[in-house]
Amino acid sequence: FRAPYTPRGGAPPPHEMNSIWVGERVATIRFEDILSNVIQRKDAPAWGPNAQFRYPMNGTGHIWEKIFSELPKENTRLNARVAAVRTKKGAKALELADGTKVPFDGLLSTMPLPLLLRSLPDEPHLAPMADGDNGAADHSRFKHQTCNVFGVGIEGDQIPEALNGVHWVYFPEDEYIFYRVTVLSNFSPQMVAKPFQQWSLLIEVSESKHHPVPRSRAKLRALVKEGLVKSGMLPEGAKVVAMWDKRLEDGYP
């Protein structure tokens, strides 16, 4: 499973990776349990690092909206592009694209690492550390995938029986453009415009030099929908009431 799935999921081929990531991404298994479950054709519902978890009724975005609402309004800015991060002692500040300077004592950055390294004019020796050829738009040494996310809203108050209780479905096969489909409305019935009258899917399509995809958004949408029907995730003839997509240049590292 891992050999074909890993590059489809956006990561480099297994031979380019070390084993550190296994600790948090792959649950410990017992061969005896696997063999027993296969023979008895039985699922292991409690298996995995996220077998149980909390999920907000209105989706994970509600967490960040709540946090943002609690921040002091005078200290929040939206749509403010950082042009440089100044780090000289006594003059630490963010330089914004409009010329504004925002001083800081300590900085917690969520910038992609190559962008941060290239945004430190007071530390010129750090910028070359980002240089490389990862095959992505940032032309850096750091490997990451670009994630194309699709949301599909479907009319109806009943999802297919086979998807009852299902959260994530993984696709290592090359015949599908996507590598993971989430039955989002199974997390919360509020994850649709009309609760209890619709259900929804969230689809992820990775993009990297190891897994190129069509540049046309229309073509990519068509391939996603075709794959959903072929895999049984979307019943033949189901009424799709909405389809949304977004390309995230910096997906999973």
Side-chain angles (χ1 to χ4, degrees), residues 200-212:
S200 59
L201 299 171
L202 178 70
I203 302 96
E204 294 168 83
V205 178
S206 73
E207 177 186 335
S208 70
K209 66 179 181 180
H210 306 292
H211 188 249

Side-chain angles (χ1 to χ4, degrees), residues 159-195:
I159 68 170
E161 182 64 31
L163 298 182
N164 272 332
V166 172
H167 294 108
W168 298 283
V169 181
Y170 295 85
F171 294 84
E173 303 93 343
D174 285 335
E175 60 190 296
Y176 303 111
I177 191 72
F178 43 77
Y179 68 92
R180 178 165 60 185
V181 177
T182 304
V183 188
L184 199 58
S185 51
N186 277 352
F187 287 76
S188 167
Q190 302 293 329
M191 300 305 295
V192 290
K194 298 179 180 178

